[in-house]
Structure formats: structure tokens, C-alpha cells
Amino acid sequence: MQSWQLPEHVADVLPTTARQLESARERLLALFRVHGYELVQPPLMEYSNSLLTHIDAGLSLKTIRVVDQLSGQQLGIRADITPQVARIDAHLLSANNGINRLCYAGSVLHARPEGFLNTREPLQAGAELYGFADIAADIELIDLMLKSVNIADFGEVLLSLGHIGVFRALADAAGLSAEQSAQLLALMQDKDAEAVKNCVESWCLDGMWVKAFALLPALYGGREVLQEARAKLPDLSAVGRALDELEAVCAAFPAQNVHIDLSELRVDNYHTGLLYAAYGSDSHDAVARGGRYDGLGAYFGRSRPATGFSFDLRSFIGRLPEIGRQSVVMVAREDAEAAKDAVAVLREQGQCVVVDYGIGHNGSDNISGHLKKIDGVWQVAEV
């Protein structure tokens, strides 16, 4: 193996793409800021238990672990920033019992890529709202998610909605164990109604629950799915509340292309309610995902309602607007010392100035002028 080779699913970001990513990151943070979301920057690594690796099997598999040479305890390199932000809300910002709006944009590391084409070093950006349980908070975050996705060219964006509360209400009413719920959730992902039916029948459940679980994989489509769900699912108050929330979101985005799927339950274990995602017109996977995760802060000592979304900004590569290299003003090597004050003024004004050593450089094709002393004054002479 060559010493310069990188691990699989890890890559350098070169100047042209780096400019695009940094520009997009700046636009995102500006967007979050004008919506009231304050930037936080959690550390890249923490004690692994703080990263929720002990309660979320999927997150645990993603997390790279090392032994801390100072304490001897196990450290984890973050694979998801959301638990860290929940910790910040629960501890460092605990003086505020009202709403905390927080945002972030930083790298995470995955032990394995989530897909064949995915990187192991996503640039995760997102926003979270703590302290308000009403559906209005979810609508606010969905609106912000859709605005965030619009910084790139994904064509017509599809808003996908689900609600894990429907499944959990049925599971609780049917008396399923945690192990049975997990098994059934896995089957739901394949949308195989027959496999789901055979599974619940093997548990000798009442026919009403067998029918309800077998129906879930078929409850997907447009807004009309909600009326079908009300007509065919058991009349449980928790199911009704979940469907009410989905209807409220649909009403808040009347012009948005919406897809509803009551068996789309591919979530981290900490999600508790409404689920939302954005898909591009030619995207094989979600561009951004989010949902409600009430009570996550309880693991850090303060249980709070919470909702938020995140995405990998690197997945926007190839869809971001071109960001040209800044024009360059050259100053000859022999003039650099004498012209240093003039160079400093230009740089303070935002102009890129580089010393010309006479051997070319990686901005040679974008030179706009040369700094020269003309009539006793340092001036930029256009090329």
C-alpha cells in the first residue's frame, strides 16, 4: 500500500469543491442565524456513553472508539452531533427553561459507510429546537429544512412524512415486547405485508392487531393516505394524535409535494414522533432527515421536548453553484518588503495579494493586476 493512500470511503476535498462547501456552510449558518438558531461546536470526541452508544445499537456500530490515555476510559469519535447538542441543552444551557434554538455544522466519523457511495466523514449540518412540544415547532424545523436544501440544485423537492407514534401506539396496545417491536420494525422496511402478517400471527395476537400491522406497509402515498389510515386503523387516541399532527404539517405546506409513509420508520432509536425527510427529484436517498425526539435529554439529566433535522453537506457536492477563485494581485518578490504596507491595506479590503517568486503558482490564470510603484505611490496596475 502506498503511504499516501487514504482509507476506503475517505477523501480529500480539493480547492474548487472546498470553496463550494465553505460557501454553502456560510450560507446555511447565515440562514439558521436569521431564524434564531445559535451556533454550537461540540467536541469531536467524548466519553462514548455520552454519545449514546450504550442505548442506540445503530449509533454504536457507527462509532469509532479509542482508549483515553489520560483517564483510561473509553472515548468515542462522534458519529452524530444531535446527542451532543441534547447534552448541551440539558447541562450547559440548563438555566434557560424556555426554548433553545441551536444549530451546528461539523465533521462526524463513521466506522463504516452508511451506503456504497457514502463517505465515512460526513459534514453534518443541522438545527434543533428544545423546549416546545407543539407541532408548530416541527413545522418550523421542516420549513427551515426545506430552505436549507434549496441552497443546492436538487430539482423539485419531495417532503416525506412519517410518524413512529402510529407504530408504537399499535405495539403498546397489542402488548408487544421490546424485542418483538424491533423485529417488526425491521420487517416494515421491506414493505412486505405478508411477512409482517406471518410474523404477528406467529405471536398469536388478536386478529385486529394482525390486520393493523399488516396494513401499515400499504399506507403510503399522497395526502389521501391520512383519511385511509383513519378509516382502517384501530381507533386509538395515540394513533389519532399522530394523524392529527401529520395533517397539520400537510396543511402548513399546501403547495409542497408531499409523500406520506406510515411504515417509513428508519430512524435512530431516540426518535419518538413525527418523522420528516427531503428528497431531490433524482435522489436515491434522502437529502435531509429529521424528526421529534422528546426526552433524549433525560440521559443527560433534563428531559425536554425536542425536534430537529440534519444532513451531510458533502452530499450536496456536484449540485452547488460554482464559486470562482478570487482574483489575484501580484507583487514582485523584490518589491514585497517595500510594499508591505500597501499589501496590508489591500488584504484588509479583501483583495488577495501574493508574492511573485517567478515560478508560477496555483492562481496564475486569475491575475487581475500587479502592485507597482507609480509616481511614488504603490498602485495596482491592471493586466
Side-chain angles (χ1 to χ4, degrees), residues 226-233:
L226 297 179
Q227 294 306 315
E228 183 182 358
R230 289 191 189 277
K232 295 182 178 180
L233 290 177

Side-chain angles (χ1 to χ4, degrees), residues 169 201 219 229 313 317 331 362 382-383:
E201 282 181 343
L219 287 174
L313 191 52
I317 291 175
V331 58
N362 61 342
E382 294 185 1
V383 175

Side-chain angles (χ1 to χ4, degrees), residues 47-63:
Y47 294 120
S48 59
N49 280 357
S50 296
L51 298 173
L52 304 189
T53 56
H54 59 303
I55 64 167
D56 190 320
L59 191 56
S60 180
L61 289 174
K62 294 179 188 176
T63 302

Side-chain angles (χ1 to χ4, degrees), residues 91-340:
H91 279 291
L92 302 181
L93 300 179
S94 61
N96 178 20
N97 290 318
I99 291 175
N100 277 328
R101 289 180 172 89
L102 304 174
C103 65
Y104 51 86
S107 292
V108 297
L109 290 176
H110 291 171
R112 293 176 178 271
E114 292 188 323
F116 181 73
L117 299 177
N118 294 87
T119 177
R120 293 168 60 190
E121 189 186 3
L123 177 52
Q124 185 180 349
E128 320 287 340
L129 188 151
Y130 296 90
F132 193 51
D134 192 86
I135 190 62
D138 301 278
I139 291 171
E140 176 180 324
L141 267 296
I142 292 171
D143 178 65
L144 187 56
M145 178 183 73
L146 294 174
K147 290 175 179 175
S148 300
V149 169
N150 280 339
I151 71 169
D153 181 14
F154 285 102
E156 183 179 5
V157 174
L158 172 71
L159 174 61
S160 177
L161 300 173
H163 204 301
I164 193 136
V166 174
F167 174 84
R168 288 183 175 161
L170 294 174
D172 289 344
L176 298 188
S177 66
E179 292 76 12
Q180 288 173 322
S181 293
Q183 181 180 349
L184 202 51
L185 272 173
L187 289 175
M188 290 285 180
Q189 305 316 309
D190 296 329
K191 298 192 180 303
D192 189 339
E194 191 64 28
V196 170
K197 181 180 179 182
N198 291 338
C199 179
V200 292
E201 282 181 343
S202 70
W203 295 333
C204 299
L205 299 182
D206 184 274
M208 176 176 66
W209 307 120
V210 172
K211 181 180 178 181
F213 285 123
L215 178 63
L216 276 187
L219 287 174
Y220 63 92
R223 298 167 190 250
E224 70 282 353
V225 166
L226 297 179
Q227 294 306 315
E228 183 182 358
R230 289 191 189 277
K232 295 182 178 180
L233 290 177
D235 187 16
L236 300 174
S237 59
V239 170
R241 287 194 299 272
L243 296 177
D244 288 344
E245 291 184 348
L246 287 166
E247 283 194 345
V249 174
C250 288
F253 300 95
Q256 178 67 46
N257 188 12
V258 172
H259 177 80
I260 296 169
D261 189 346
L262 296 186
S263 67
E264 176 52 66
L265 306 173
R266 288 178 289 184
V267 294
D268 295 302
N269 286 349
Y270 54 72
H271 282 102
T272 60
L274 182 73
L275 306 171
Y276 41 90
Y279 288 80
S281 58
D282 60 351
S283 303
H284 71 282
D285 198 4
V287 176
R289 288 186 183 274
R292 181 158 286 276
Y293 53 98
D294 295 343
L296 179 61
Y299 295 101
F300 306 109
R302 185 165 80 140
S303 180
R304 299 251 283 167
T307 182
F309 69 90
S310 66
F311 52 86
D312 176 11
L313 191 52
R314 288 199 184 198
S315 68
F316 286 25
I317 291 175
R319 300 175 182 271
L320 294 168
E322 292 290 334
I323 306 295
R325 182 186 174 93
Q326 186 179 5
S327 63
V328 176
V329 168
M330 305 294 294
V331 58
R333 178 179 182 178
E334 58 271 20
D335 293 335
E337 178 61 26
K340 65 180 181 181

